[in-house]
Every structure is written in structure tokens, then in C-alpha cells.
Amino acid sequence: STLVLLDEVGSGTNPTEGAAIAVATLRHLSESATLTVATTHFSELKALALAGAEGEYEGWRNASVEFDLETLRPTYRLVLGELGASNALHIAR
């Protein structure tokens, strides 16, 4: 079996086009039954995973890395089933 790790898949281009590239890439990998882990800030990908309990995106799941707002550091705990949030404003303050 194969494990594919993708960091910020589809980034580095127009956000709309990047999200489309990311969706197409992940769909292709899921059709080949390849275990894939992808990081993203694209809301479009997060929405697909939320809808993943049924239909075409069955098996897609969201997860996020827990973040401590007091220390402004990640805890490195993976929280399955939860969307990540931007902490940029907390960090900027």
C-alpha cells in the first residue's frame, strides 16, 4: 500500500484554480485507494471532507492541530473531525 503526504496542495497559484487543482488531485488519489494526507487552507477542501460521510467524498475526513491561544503555540495534538482555524489575529496581537 502507498501513503501520499501533500503539504498545501494546490497553493502557489490563483486560489480558485489552486482549489480546483487540489480537488482534482485528491479525487484521483482517492479513486486509486491511496491513503492520502493533505494539509490545506482551502475552505473548498474542508467543505468536501465535511460532506464526506456520503456520496463521492466518502472516506474524506477533516482534522486539525490543536493550538494553545495562551502560549500561541501548537500543542501538536491531532484533533480528528474538526476544522482548523486561523490564529493569525491572535498571534499578531
mmCIF file of all heavy atoms in Angstrom, residues 12-65:
data_model
loop_
_atom_site.group_PDB
_atom_site.id
_atom_site.type_symbol
_atom_site.label_atom_id
_atom_site.label_comp_id
_atom_site.label_asym_id
_atom_site.label_seq_id
_atom_site.Cartn_x
_atom_site.Cartn_y
_atom_site.Cartn_z
ATOM 1 N N GLY A 12 0.184 28.290 -4.280
ATOM 2 C CA GLY A 12 1.178 28.880 -5.171
ATOM 3 C C GLY A 12 0.595 29.366 -6.478
ATOM 4 O O GLY A 12 1.328 29.732 -7.392
ATOM 5 N N THR A 13 -0.718 29.377 -6.580
ATOM 6 C CA THR A 13 -1.384 29.869 -7.779
ATOM 7 C C THR A 13 -2.656 30.582 -7.348
ATOM 8 O O THR A 13 -2.935 30.725 -6.156
ATOM 9 C CB THR A 13 -1.680 28.712 -8.767
ATOM 10 O OG1 THR A 13 -2.148 29.248 -9.992
ATOM 11 C CG2 THR A 13 -2.667 27.725 -8.202
ATOM 12 N N ASN A 14 -3.432 31.018 -8.301
ATOM 13 C CA ASN A 14 -4.709 31.652 -8.023
ATOM 14 C C ASN A 14 -5.513 30.754 -7.085
ATOM 15 O O ASN A 14 -5.614 29.550 -7.335
ATOM 16 C CB ASN A 14 -5.432 31.851 -9.365
ATOM 17 C CG ASN A 14 -6.859 32.307 -9.193
ATOM 18 O OD1 ASN A 14 -7.708 31.548 -8.754
ATOM 19 N ND2 ASN A 14 -7.106 33.546 -9.551
ATOM 20 N N PRO A 15 -6.082 31.290 -5.995
ATOM 21 C CA PRO A 15 -6.790 30.439 -5.036
ATOM 22 C C PRO A 15 -7.914 29.591 -5.634
ATOM 23 O O PRO A 15 -8.073 28.433 -5.256
ATOM 24 C CB PRO A 15 -7.336 31.431 -4.008
ATOM 25 C CG PRO A 15 -6.400 32.593 -4.085
ATOM 26 C CD PRO A 15 -5.995 32.683 -5.527
ATOM 27 N N THR A 16 -8.675 30.150 -6.556
ATOM 28 C CA THR A 16 -9.759 29.371 -7.171
ATOM 29 C C THR A 16 -9.196 28.219 -7.992
ATOM 30 O O THR A 16 -9.657 27.075 -7.905
ATOM 31 C CB THR A 16 -10.644 30.270 -8.054
ATOM 32 O OG1 THR A 16 -11.171 31.322 -7.248
ATOM 33 C CG2 THR A 16 -11.784 29.498 -8.674
ATOM 34 N N GLU A 17 -8.173 28.509 -8.793
ATOM 35 C CA GLU A 17 -7.547 27.468 -9.597
ATOM 36 C C GLU A 17 -6.807 26.463 -8.714
ATOM 37 O O GLU A 17 -6.823 25.271 -8.972
ATOM 38 C CB GLU A 17 -6.594 28.087 -10.609
ATOM 39 C CG GLU A 17 -7.311 28.898 -11.667
ATOM 40 C CD GLU A 17 -6.364 29.658 -12.580
ATOM 41 O OE1 GLU A 17 -5.133 29.555 -12.409
ATOM 42 O OE2 GLU A 17 -6.879 30.359 -13.467
ATOM 43 N N GLY A 18 -6.152 26.953 -7.673
ATOM 44 C CA GLY A 18 -5.431 26.066 -6.763
ATOM 45 C C GLY A 18 -6.361 25.090 -6.071
ATOM 46 O O GLY A 18 -6.046 23.905 -5.921
ATOM 47 N N ALA A 19 -7.541 25.576 -5.652
ATOM 48 C CA ALA A 19 -8.515 24.697 -5.008
ATOM 49 C C ALA A 19 -8.998 23.640 -5.994
ATOM 50 O O ALA A 19 -9.145 22.467 -5.632
ATOM 51 C CB ALA A 19 -9.688 25.508 -4.468
ATOM 52 N N ALA A 20 -9.209 24.041 -7.252
ATOM 53 C CA ALA A 20 -9.651 23.072 -8.269
ATOM 54 C C ALA A 20 -8.575 22.026 -8.525
ATOM 55 O O ALA A 20 -8.875 20.829 -8.662
ATOM 56 C CB ALA A 20 -10.005 23.802 -9.566
ATOM 57 N N ILE A 21 -7.326 22.453 -8.587
ATOM 58 C CA ILE A 21 -6.206 21.519 -8.772
ATOM 59 C C ILE A 21 -6.133 20.554 -7.588
ATOM 60 O O ILE A 21 -5.953 19.348 -7.752
ATOM 61 C CB ILE A 21 -4.879 22.277 -8.940
ATOM 62 C CG1 ILE A 21 -4.860 23.008 -10.283
ATOM 63 C CG2 ILE A 21 -3.682 21.356 -8.796
ATOM 64 C CD1 ILE A 21 -3.738 24.023 -10.425
ATOM 65 N N ALA A 22 -6.292 21.095 -6.388
ATOM 66 C CA ALA A 22 -6.231 20.263 -5.180
ATOM 67 C C ALA A 22 -7.353 19.226 -5.169
ATOM 68 O O ALA A 22 -7.114 18.057 -4.874
ATOM 69 C CB ALA A 22 -6.300 21.151 -3.938
ATOM 70 N N VAL A 23 -8.567 19.647 -5.495
ATOM 71 C CA VAL A 23 -9.701 18.714 -5.513
ATOM 72 C C VAL A 23 -9.460 17.617 -6.540
ATOM 73 O O VAL A 23 -9.645 16.428 -6.257
ATOM 74 C CB VAL A 23 -11.027 19.457 -5.797
ATOM 75 C CG1 VAL A 23 -12.148 18.463 -6.084
ATOM 76 C CG2 VAL A 23 -11.394 20.347 -4.626
ATOM 77 N N ALA A 24 -9.019 17.998 -7.734
ATOM 78 C CA ALA A 24 -8.778 17.001 -8.788
ATOM 79 C C ALA A 24 -7.688 16.017 -8.370
ATOM 80 O O ALA A 24 -7.817 14.801 -8.587
ATOM 81 C CB ALA A 24 -8.393 17.695 -10.090
ATOM 82 N N THR A 25 -6.633 16.518 -7.769
ATOM 83 C CA THR A 25 -5.532 15.659 -7.331
ATOM 84 C C THR A 25 -5.997 14.687 -6.261
ATOM 85 O O THR A 25 -5.726 13.477 -6.326
ATOM 86 C CB THR A 25 -4.368 16.520 -6.794
ATOM 87 O OG1 THR A 25 -3.921 17.391 -7.829
ATOM 88 C CG2 THR A 25 -3.218 15.655 -6.306
ATOM 89 N N LEU A 26 -6.720 15.182 -5.277
ATOM 90 C CA LEU A 26 -7.186 14.326 -4.182
ATOM 91 C C LEU A 26 -8.238 13.329 -4.651
ATOM 92 O O LEU A 26 -8.257 12.179 -4.194
ATOM 93 C CB LEU A 26 -7.708 15.183 -3.028
ATOM 94 C CG LEU A 26 -6.624 16.010 -2.334
ATOM 95 C CD1 LEU A 26 -7.244 16.966 -1.331
ATOM 96 C CD2 LEU A 26 -5.595 15.119 -1.676
ATOM 97 N N ARG A 27 -9.098 13.743 -5.583
ATOM 98 C CA ARG A 27 -10.077 12.802 -6.140
ATOM 99 C C ARG A 27 -9.364 11.660 -6.856
ATOM 100 O O ARG A 27 -9.721 10.498 -6.694
ATOM 101 C CB ARG A 27 -11.015 13.513 -7.096
ATOM 102 C CG ARG A 27 -12.053 14.345 -6.391
ATOM 103 C CD ARG A 27 -12.939 15.070 -7.353
ATOM 104 N NE ARG A 27 -13.745 14.110 -8.106
ATOM 105 C CZ ARG A 27 -14.549 14.451 -9.084
ATOM 106 N NH1 ARG A 27 -14.653 15.711 -9.450
ATOM 107 N NH2 ARG A 27 -15.254 13.540 -9.720
ATOM 108 N N HIS A 28 -8.353 11.999 -7.646
ATOM 109 C CA HIS A 28 -7.603 10.974 -8.370
ATOM 110 C C HIS A 28 -6.958 9.989 -7.394
ATOM 111 O O HIS A 28 -7.028 8.771 -7.578
ATOM 112 C CB HIS A 28 -6.546 11.615 -9.263
ATOM 113 C CG HIS A 28 -5.650 10.628 -9.929
ATOM 114 N ND1 HIS A 28 -6.062 9.852 -10.997
ATOM 115 C CD2 HIS A 28 -4.381 10.247 -9.653
ATOM 116 C CE1 HIS A 28 -5.075 9.050 -11.352
ATOM 117 N NE2 HIS A 28 -4.049 9.274 -10.553
ATOM 118 N N LEU A 29 -6.334 10.521 -6.351
ATOM 119 C CA LEU A 29 -5.682 9.656 -5.372
ATOM 120 C C LEU A 29 -6.691 8.792 -4.625
ATOM 121 O O LEU A 29 -6.432 7.622 -4.348
ATOM 122 C CB LEU A 29 -4.852 10.491 -4.401
ATOM 123 C CG LEU A 29 -3.605 11.134 -5.008
ATOM 124 C CD1 LEU A 29 -3.013 12.152 -4.047
ATOM 125 C CD2 LEU A 29 -2.587 10.081 -5.382
ATOM 126 N N SER A 30 -7.859 9.347 -4.311
ATOM 127 C CA SER A 30 -8.858 8.558 -3.575
ATOM 128 C C SER A 30 -9.450 7.461 -4.446
ATOM 129 O O SER A 30 -9.803 6.399 -3.945
ATOM 130 C CB SER A 30 -9.959 9.456 -3.016
ATOM 131 O OG SER A 30 -10.779 9.963 -4.036
ATOM 132 N N GLU A 31 -9.545 7.705 -5.749
ATOM 133 C CA GLU A 31 -10.059 6.677 -6.662
ATOM 134 C C GLU A 31 -9.102 5.500 -6.781
ATOM 135 O O GLU A 31 -9.513 4.389 -7.079
ATOM 136 C CB GLU A 31 -10.324 7.286 -8.037
ATOM 137 C CG GLU A 31 -11.526 8.212 -8.047
ATOM 138 C CD GLU A 31 -11.614 9.065 -9.298
ATOM 139 O OE1 GLU A 31 -10.761 8.924 -10.200
ATOM 140 O OE2 GLU A 31 -12.540 9.895 -9.364
ATOM 141 N N SER A 32 -7.833 5.745 -6.531
ATOM 142 C CA SER A 32 -6.859 4.660 -6.606
ATOM 143 C C SER A 32 -6.651 4.004 -5.238
ATOM 144 O O SER A 32 -5.743 3.205 -5.064
ATOM 145 C CB SER A 32 -5.530 5.177 -7.146
ATOM 146 O OG SER A 32 -4.948 6.090 -6.237
ATOM 147 N N ALA A 33 -7.503 4.367 -4.276
ATOM 148 C CA ALA A 33 -7.464 3.800 -2.926
ATOM 149 C C ALA A 33 -6.125 4.023 -2.244
ATOM 150 O O ALA A 33 -5.663 3.212 -1.461
ATOM 151 C CB ALA A 33 -7.818 2.313 -2.950
ATOM 152 N N THR A 34 -5.505 5.149 -2.566
ATOM 153 C CA THR A 34 -4.242 5.521 -1.950
ATOM 154 C C THR A 34 -4.536 6.301 -0.667
ATOM 155 O O THR A 34 -5.314 7.255 -0.698
ATOM 156 C CB THR A 34 -3.407 6.408 -2.904
ATOM 157 O OG1 THR A 34 -3.196 5.681 -4.107
ATOM 158 C CG2 THR A 34 -2.088 6.802 -2.299
ATOM 159 N N LEU A 35 -3.910 5.925 0.441
ATOM 160 C CA LEU A 35 -4.060 6.681 1.680
ATOM 161 C C LEU A 35 -3.336 8.004 1.505
ATOM 162 O O LEU A 35 -2.122 8.035 1.248
ATOM 163 C CB LEU A 35 -3.490 5.907 2.870
ATOM 164 C CG LEU A 35 -3.530 6.650 4.204
ATOM 165 C CD1 LEU A 35 -4.955 7.015 4.597
ATOM 166 C CD2 LEU A 35 -2.865 5.821 5.281
ATOM 167 N N THR A 36 -4.074 9.092 1.621
ATOM 168 C CA THR A 36 -3.508 10.417 1.375
ATOM 169 C C THR A 36 -3.797 11.321 2.556
ATOM 170 O O THR A 36 -4.913 11.362 3.064
ATOM 171 C CB THR A 36 -4.122 11.033 0.104
ATOM 172 O OG1 THR A 36 -3.901 10.148 -0.992
ATOM 173 C CG2 THR A 36 -3.500 12.380 -0.209
ATOM 174 N N VAL A 37 -2.781 12.071 2.972
ATOM 175 C CA VAL A 37 -2.932 13.096 3.989
ATOM 176 C C VAL A 37 -2.519 14.400 3.334
ATOM 177 O O VAL A 37 -1.407 14.511 2.789
ATOM 178 C CB VAL A 37 -2.040 12.818 5.227
ATOM 179 C CG1 VAL A 37 -2.148 13.952 6.231
ATOM 180 C CG2 VAL A 37 -2.400 11.486 5.851
ATOM 181 N N ALA A 38 -3.422 15.391 3.364
ATOM 182 C CA ALA A 38 -3.148 16.671 2.714
ATOM 183 C C ALA A 38 -3.406 17.812 3.686
ATOM 184 O O ALA A 38 -4.424 17.808 4.382
ATOM 185 C CB ALA A 38 -4.029 16.836 1.479
ATOM 186 N N THR A 39 -2.498 18.763 3.726
ATOM 187 C CA THR A 39 -2.726 19.974 4.506
ATOM 188 C C THR A 39 -3.265 21.034 3.567
ATOM 189 O O THR A 39 -2.906 21.077 2.391
ATOM 190 C CB THR A 39 -1.431 20.480 5.168
ATOM 191 O OG1 THR A 39 -0.504 20.873 4.158
ATOM 192 C CG2 THR A 39 -0.825 19.416 6.062
ATOM 193 N N THR A 40 -4.125 21.898 4.091
ATOM 194 C CA THR A 40 -4.713 22.931 3.244
ATOM 195 C C THR A 40 -5.277 24.070 4.076
ATOM 196 O O THR A 40 -5.584 23.892 5.252
ATOM 197 C CB THR A 40 -5.833 22.357 2.364
ATOM 198 O OG1 THR A 40 -6.239 23.359 1.416
ATOM 199 C CG2 THR A 40 -7.036 21.916 3.174
ATOM 200 N N HIS A 41 -5.382 25.217 3.435
ATOM 201 C CA HIS A 41 -6.152 26.333 3.979
ATOM 202 C C HIS A 41 -7.366 26.594 3.098
ATOM 203 O O HIS A 41 -8.110 27.531 3.329
ATOM 204 C CB HIS A 41 -5.284 27.598 4.052
ATOM 205 C CG HIS A 41 -4.303 27.561 5.172
ATOM 206 N ND1 HIS A 41 -3.015 27.113 5.012
ATOM 207 C CD2 HIS A 41 -4.429 27.879 6.479
ATOM 208 C CE1 HIS A 41 -2.387 27.175 6.168
ATOM 209 N NE2 HIS A 41 -3.229 27.632 7.075
ATOM 210 N N PHE A 42 -7.572 25.773 2.074
ATOM 211 C CA PHE A 42 -8.695 25.950 1.159
ATOM 212 C C PHE A 42 -9.998 25.511 1.816
ATOM 213 O O PHE A 42 -10.181 24.340 2.159
ATOM 214 C CB PHE A 42 -8.501 25.151 -0.132
ATOM 215 C CG PHE A 42 -7.428 25.676 -1.038
ATOM 216 C CD1 PHE A 42 -6.486 24.814 -1.572
ATOM 217 C CD2 PHE A 42 -7.356 27.011 -1.381
ATOM 218 C CE1 PHE A 42 -5.500 25.272 -2.430
ATOM 219 C CE2 PHE A 42 -6.383 27.493 -2.230
ATOM 220 C CZ PHE A 42 -5.445 26.618 -2.758
ATOM 221 N N SER A 43 -10.925 26.438 1.946
ATOM 222 C CA SER A 43 -12.239 26.128 2.512
ATOM 223 C C SER A 43 -12.976 25.102 1.662
ATOM 224 O O SER A 43 -13.748 24.295 2.188
ATOM 225 C CB SER A 43 -13.082 27.398 2.619
ATOM 226 O OG SER A 43 -12.467 28.308 3.498
ATOM 227 N N GLU A 44 -12.738 25.133 0.347
ATOM 228 C CA GLU A 44 -13.406 24.191 -0.549
ATOM 229 C C GLU A 44 -13.072 22.742 -0.186
ATOM 230 O O GLU A 44 -13.938 21.870 -0.209
ATOM 231 C CB GLU A 44 -13.002 24.450 -2.010
ATOM 232 C CG GLU A 44 -13.418 25.799 -2.546
ATOM 233 C CD GLU A 44 -12.414 26.912 -2.273
ATOM 234 O OE1 GLU A 44 -11.503 26.731 -1.438
ATOM 235 O OE2 GLU A 44 -12.545 27.982 -2.888
ATOM 236 N N LEU A 45 -11.815 22.478 0.150
ATOM 237 C CA LEU A 45 -11.426 21.110 0.526
ATOM 238 C C LEU A 45 -12.000 20.723 1.879
ATOM 239 O O LEU A 45 -12.432 19.592 2.082
ATOM 240 C CB LEU A 45 -9.904 20.969 0.559
ATOM 241 C CG LEU A 45 -9.191 21.015 -0.779
ATOM 242 C CD1 LEU A 45 -7.698 20.825 -0.585
ATOM 243 C CD2 LEU A 45 -9.740 19.978 -1.725
ATOM 244 N N LYS A 46 -12.018 21.669 2.795
ATOM 245 C CA LYS A 46 -12.596 21.388 4.111
ATOM 246 C C LYS A 46 -14.076 21.054 3.988
ATOM 247 O O LYS A 46 -14.580 20.143 4.643
ATOM 248 C CB LYS A 46 -12.394 22.589 5.036
ATOM 249 C CG LYS A 46 -10.938 22.878 5.342
ATOM 250 C CD LYS A 46 -10.807 24.138 6.158
ATOM 251 C CE LYS A 46 -9.373 24.534 6.360
ATOM 252 N NZ LYS A 46 -9.248 25.738 7.193
ATOM 253 N N ALA A 47 -14.784 21.775 3.118
ATOM 254 C CA ALA A 47 -16.218 21.526 2.918
ATOM 255 C C ALA A 47 -16.457 20.141 2.326
ATOM 256 O O ALA A 47 -17.411 19.462 2.701
ATOM 257 C CB ALA A 47 -16.814 22.600 2.021
ATOM 258 N N LEU A 48 -15.608 19.722 1.398
ATOM 259 C CA LEU A 48 -15.768 18.392 0.812
ATOM 260 C C LEU A 48 -15.613 17.307 1.860
ATOM 261 O O LEU A 48 -16.342 16.321 1.858
ATOM 262 C CB LEU A 48 -14.762 18.179 -0.317
ATOM 263 C CG LEU A 48 -14.970 19.023 -1.558
ATOM 264 C CD1 LEU A 48 -13.867 18.748 -2.577
ATOM 265 C CD2 LEU A 48 -16.326 18.772 -2.163
ATOM 266 N N ALA A 49 -14.663 17.482 2.750
ATOM 267 C CA ALA A 49 -14.469 16.486 3.802
ATOM 268 C C ALA A 49 -15.647 16.477 4.774
ATOM 269 O O ALA A 49 -16.034 15.422 5.267
ATOM 270 C CB ALA A 49 -13.165 16.740 4.540
ATOM 271 N N LEU A 50 -16.241 17.637 5.027
ATOM 272 C CA LEU A 50 -17.423 17.673 5.894
ATOM 273 C C LEU A 50 -18.581 16.915 5.268
ATOM 274 O O LEU A 50 -19.361 16.274 5.958
ATOM 275 C CB LEU A 50 -17.851 19.123 6.156
ATOM 276 C CG LEU A 50 -17.017 19.900 7.161
ATOM 277 C CD1 LEU A 50 -17.488 21.346 7.213
ATOM 278 C CD2 LEU A 50 -17.085 19.263 8.534
ATOM 279 N N ALA A 51 -18.685 16.977 3.951
ATOM 280 C CA ALA A 51 -19.752 16.275 3.237
ATOM 281 C C ALA A 51 -19.377 14.825 2.951
ATOM 282 O O ALA A 51 -20.139 14.102 2.337
ATOM 283 C CB ALA A 51 -20.049 16.996 1.931
ATOM 284 N N GLY A 52 -18.217 14.403 3.406
ATOM 285 C CA GLY A 52 -17.669 13.110 3.038
ATOM 286 C C GLY A 52 -18.348 11.885 3.595
ATOM 287 O O GLY A 52 -18.018 10.781 3.213
ATOM 288 N N ALA A 53 -19.291 12.048 4.482
ATOM 289 C CA ALA A 53 -19.946 10.878 5.073
ATOM 290 C C ALA A 53 -20.773 10.104 4.053
ATOM 291 O O ALA A 53 -21.108 8.959 4.274
ATOM 292 C CB ALA A 53 -20.826 11.318 6.234
ATOM 293 N N GLU A 54 -21.059 10.741 2.935
ATOM 294 C CA GLU A 54 -21.867 10.067 1.919
ATOM 295 C C GLU A 54 -21.425 10.522 0.538
ATOM 296 O O GLU A 54 -20.772 11.538 0.383
ATOM 297 C CB GLU A 54 -23.347 10.392 2.126
ATOM 298 C CG GLU A 54 -23.616 11.871 2.160
ATOM 299 C CD GLU A 54 -25.028 12.184 2.611
ATOM 300 O OE1 GLU A 54 -25.408 11.775 3.698
ATOM 301 O OE2 GLU A 54 -25.717 12.844 1.828
ATOM 302 N N GLY A 55 -21.747 9.748 -0.427
ATOM 303 C CA GLY A 55 -21.508 10.156 -1.804
ATOM 304 C C GLY A 55 -20.067 10.059 -2.240
ATOM 305 O O GLY A 55 -19.281 9.255 -1.737
ATOM 306 N N GLU A 56 -19.723 10.932 -3.154
ATOM 307 C CA GLU A 56 -18.432 10.891 -3.838
ATOM 308 C C GLU A 56 -17.237 11.042 -2.894
ATOM 309 O O GLU A 56 -16.168 10.512 -3.150
ATOM 310 C CB GLU A 56 -18.402 12.010 -4.879
ATOM 311 C CG GLU A 56 -17.171 12.024 -5.730
ATOM 312 C CD GLU A 56 -17.239 13.084 -6.806
ATOM 313 O OE1 GLU A 56 -18.243 13.808 -6.886
ATOM 314 O OE2 GLU A 56 -16.279 13.180 -7.558
ATOM 315 N N TYR A 57 -17.408 11.773 -1.818
ATOM 316 C CA TYR A 57 -16.278 12.053 -0.932
ATOM 317 C C TYR A 57 -16.308 11.215 0.344
ATOM 318 O O TYR A 57 -15.733 11.588 1.355
ATOM 319 C CB TYR A 57 -16.215 13.548 -0.630
ATOM 320 C CG TYR A 57 -16.067 14.340 -1.904
ATOM 321 C CD1 TYR A 57 -17.143 14.976 -2.491
ATOM 322 C CD2 TYR A 57 -14.847 14.378 -2.556
ATOM 323 C CE1 TYR A 57 -17.013 15.652 -3.689
ATOM 324 C CE2 TYR A 57 -14.703 15.052 -3.753
ATOM 325 C CZ TYR A 57 -15.786 15.690 -4.310
ATOM 326 O OH TYR A 57 -15.643 16.359 -5.497
ATOM 327 N N GLU A 58 -16.957 10.073 0.265
ATOM 328 C CA GLU A 58 -16.984 9.170 1.407
ATOM 329 C C GLU A 58 -15.553 8.775 1.761
ATOM 330 O O GLU A 58 -14.748 8.476 0.894
ATOM 331 C CB GLU A 58 -17.787 7.917 1.061
ATOM 332 C CG GLU A 58 -17.924 6.962 2.210
ATOM 333 C CD GLU A 58 -18.764 5.751 1.848
ATOM 334 O OE1 GLU A 58 -19.244 5.671 0.708
ATOM 335 O OE2 GLU A 58 -18.908 4.903 2.720
ATOM 336 N N GLY A 59 -15.239 8.831 3.011
ATOM 337 C CA GLY A 59 -13.898 8.483 3.447
ATOM 338 C C GLY A 59 -12.985 9.683 3.651
ATOM 339 O O GLY A 59 -11.931 9.567 4.249
ATOM 340 N N TRP A 60 -13.398 10.839 3.163
ATOM 341 C CA TRP A 60 -12.606 12.055 3.378
ATOM 342 C C TRP A 60 -12.914 12.576 4.775
ATOM 343 O O TRP A 60 -14.070 12.631 5.193
ATOM 344 C CB TRP A 60 -12.956 13.125 2.357
ATOM 345 C CG TRP A 60 -12.577 12.814 0.950
ATOM 346 C CD1 TRP A 60 -12.599 11.596 0.334
ATOM 347 C CD2 TRP A 60 -12.138 13.736 -0.030
ATOM 348 N NE1 TRP A 60 -12.201 11.715 -0.966
ATOM 349 C CE2 TRP A 60 -11.909 13.021 -1.227
ATOM 350 C CE3 TRP A 60 -11.914 15.104 -0.023
ATOM 351 C CZ2 TRP A 60 -11.466 13.628 -2.387
ATOM 352 C CZ3 TRP A 60 -11.478 15.707 -1.183
ATOM 353 C CH2 TRP A 60 -11.249 14.977 -2.343
ATOM 354 N N ARG A 61 -11.891 12.952 5.530
ATOM 355 C CA ARG A 61 -12.082 13.424 6.898
ATOM 356 C C ARG A 61 -11.247 14.671 7.153
ATOM 357 O O ARG A 61 -10.160 14.824 6.621
ATOM 358 C CB ARG A 61 -11.663 12.353 7.912
ATOM 359 C CG ARG A 61 -12.453 11.067 7.813
ATOM 360 C CD ARG A 61 -13.903 11.257 8.242
ATOM 361 N NE ARG A 61 -14.661 10.037 8.088
ATOM 362 C CZ ARG A 61 -15.444 9.760 7.067
ATOM 363 N NH1 ARG A 61 -15.587 10.605 6.085
ATOM 364 N NH2 ARG A 61 -16.097 8.625 7.011
ATOM 365 N N ASN A 62 -11.773 15.530 8.007
ATOM 366 C CA ASN A 62 -11.041 16.707 8.460
ATOM 367 C C ASN A 62 -10.321 16.386 9.757
ATOM 368 O O ASN A 62 -10.765 15.561 10.547
ATOM 369 C CB ASN A 62 -12.000 17.879 8.730
ATOM 370 C CG ASN A 62 -12.442 18.579 7.474
ATOM 371 O OD1 ASN A 62 -11.613 18.920 6.641
ATOM 372 N ND2 ASN A 62 -13.739 18.782 7.334
ATOM 373 N N ALA A 63 -9.248 17.095 9.971
ATOM 374 C CA ALA A 63 -8.530 17.056 11.245
ATOM 375 C C ALA A 63 -7.791 18.376 11.366
ATOM 376 O O ALA A 63 -7.569 19.072 10.379
ATOM 377 C CB ALA A 63 -7.558 15.887 11.299
ATOM 378 N N SER A 64 -7.415 18.713 12.560
ATOM 379 C CA SER A 64 -6.633 19.934 12.765
ATOM 380 C C SER A 64 -5.644 19.704 13.893
ATOM 381 O O SER A 64 -5.799 18.791 14.698
ATOM 382 C CB SER A 64 -7.556 21.112 13.090
ATOM 383 O OG SER A 64 -8.259 20.886 14.293
ATOM 384 N N VAL A 65 -4.643 20.553 13.924
ATOM 385 C CA VAL A 65 -3.658 20.516 15.004
ATOM 386 C C VAL A 65 -4.117 21.515 16.061
ATOM 387 O O VAL A 65 -4.392 22.679 15.754
ATOM 388 C CB VAL A 65 -2.243 20.862 14.496
ATOM 389 C CG1 VAL A 65 -1.266 20.957 15.657
ATOM 390 C CG2 VAL A 65 -1.781 19.826 13.489
#
